[in-house]
Amino acid sequence: MPIVEALEKSKAVRTSRNLTESTSPRVIILAGGKGTRLAEETASRPKPMVDIGGRPILWHIMNIYAAAGFHEFLVACGYKGEMIKEYFANLCIHSADYFVNTRNGSRKLLSGTGLDWQVGLIDTGGETMTAGRILRLRQWLGGRTFMVTYGDGLIDLDIRNLLEFHRAHGKMVTVTAVRPPARFGGLVLDGDVVTEFSEKPQAGEGWINGGFFVCEPAILDLISSDSSVLEREVLEQVAARKELIAYRHSGFWQPMDTLRERQYLELLWSEGRAPWKIWE
């Protein structure tokens, strides 16, 4: 067996063993939707590949989890999923320095990405709904606790605290409850004098689904098909059984549903004040 082939086979065996032996929850990122409300960007690429600071928002989300020690990801691809696959296939080469042998195309890496992630890139169908995408990933979840979030929302959440909360209450699903961001700048007035201005404050009342779920494998038995929607019949059933618990997060949370929101996130990043950058 050629040396290069032997090395690749050895690497594949080690990777397979590590994934099999790992007991850490795997992270599903729902990345298959068409993102029609952000059509200015998503006509040519999937929403999770829309960049913030020169990196796809998907990269930012994964770093939030990695900062807490969670490095095993399952990306549920769908619409233009080949672009997500190509990004990760080339991430090491594009981020590294290397020598290349022009005779045979072999490369010798001089540096890496600095990322120690295992990323599964799985085609879950072009029209599959959110819960259906999760069900299609069942075989890679190892029959244990797993986490799920959307491929278009950022947060300054310590995932370790979320997981500890989930394990403490013993319910089927934990959802991160957040305050919806206000559409306009907030003003605090003293008469006609503005005493405080907040560019995009979190709303003072109400809690909404912010993603960043922790789930027990029993939820998979409540998903019937590709057409199942996580936010409708599945979580409605979980709630009816009193198995859905909210983890309240009062800090930063921001989805990227519109061009204006994408520009806001870009501004925060470019000015060095991105709250979700909790990694080094």
Side-chain angles (χ1 to χ4, degrees):
M1 179 182 294
I3 292 177
V4 173
E5 183 179 347
L7 289 173
E8 288 300 318
K9 182 176 181 180
S10 174
K11 180 179 179 182
V13 169
R14 290 198 307 273
T15 299
S16 176
R17 183 171 63 248
N18 290 340
L19 286 173
T20 301
E21 295 175 354
S22 171
T23 58
S24 177
R26 290 175 188 164
V27 181
I28 293 175
I29 301 179
L30 299 172
K34 296 180 180 178
T36 53
R37 286 182 290 177
L38 190 59
E40 301 92 339
E41 298 283 353
T42 58
S44 59
R45 53 182 167 173
K47 193 198 288 190
M49 290 303 296
V50 174
D51 60 285
I52 304 296
R55 298 277 193 173
I57 192 172
L58 179 60
W59 177 91
H60 293 263
I61 295 167
M62 294 167 83
N63 266 292
I64 294 170
Y65 282 96
F70 302 101
H71 302 103
E72 296 181 16
F73 300 96
L74 295 168
V75 182
C77 300
Y79 172 71
K80 296 187 181 295
E82 67 279 1
M83 296 184 70
I84 300 176
K85 293 181 178 181
E86 288 171 4
Y87 174 78
F88 284 99
N90 296 314
L91 180 60
C92 186
I93 293 300
H94 288 170
S95 303
D97 297 326
Y98 56 89
F99 285 108
V100 61
N101 184 319
T102 59
R103 180 173 59 85
N104 60 20
S106 63
R107 299 182 181 93
K108 178 182 178 181
L109 291 179
L110 303 178
S111 62
T113 64
L115 305 175
D116 185 18
W117 300 348
Q118 294 288 341
V119 185
L121 301 156
I122 314 298
D123 181 6
T124 55
E127 302 298 327
T128 307
M129 303 306 289
T130 46
R133 294 190 190 281
I134 295 171
L135 185 62
R136 286 203 182 197
L137 299 176
R138 185 173 199 159
Q139 63 180 301
W140 291 287
L141 293 173
R144 59 179 186 267
T145 304
F146 61 95
M147 294 186 277
V148 182
T149 198
Y150 305 107
D152 62 356
L154 297 172
I155 198 169
D156 61 348
L157 175 68
D158 187 330
I159 304 295
R160 290 167 295 195
N161 294 338
L162 172 65
L163 182 59
E164 288 174 6
F165 175 83
H166 174 80
R167 286 174 168 164
H169 66 61
K171 299 294 186 179
M172 188 187 301
V173 179
T174 298
V175 57
T176 299
V178 297
R179 302 288 195 184
R183 293 181 57 203
F184 307 102
L187 303 177
V188 177
L189 302 178
D190 181 5
D192 294 331
V193 177
V194 177
T195 60
E196 184 179 337
F197 178 84
S198 179
E199 183 181 0
K200 283 181 74 73
Q202 298 299 112
E205 298 180 1
W207 295 92
I208 63 171
N209 166 23
F212 297 91
F213 300 93
V214 186
C215 305
E216 294 304 314
I219 192 177
L220 299 169
D221 296 329
L222 303 180
I223 305 173
S224 59
S225 67
D226 281 356
S227 61
S228 296
V229 179
L230 177 65
E231 303 80 4
R232 294 178 190 166
E233 59 264 31
V234 178
L235 289 182
E236 287 174 0
Q237 288 185 68
V238 177
R241 299 181 184 197
K242 301 189 185 305
E243 288 288 332
L244 180 62
I245 298 292
Y247 179 84
R248 292 180 177 87
H249 176 72
S250 298
F252 176 87
W253 174 81
Q254 178 64 58
M256 188 184 66
D257 286 329
T258 65
L259 182 60
R260 178 179 178 178
E261 290 172 339
R262 188 255 172 194
Q263 292 168 341
Y264 173 60
L265 292 170
E266 182 69 39
L267 177 66
L268 291 177
W269 184 268
S270 65
E271 292 183 349
R273 54 189 185 97
W276 69 89
K277 188 180 184 302
I278 58 177
W279 61 92
E280 294 297 328

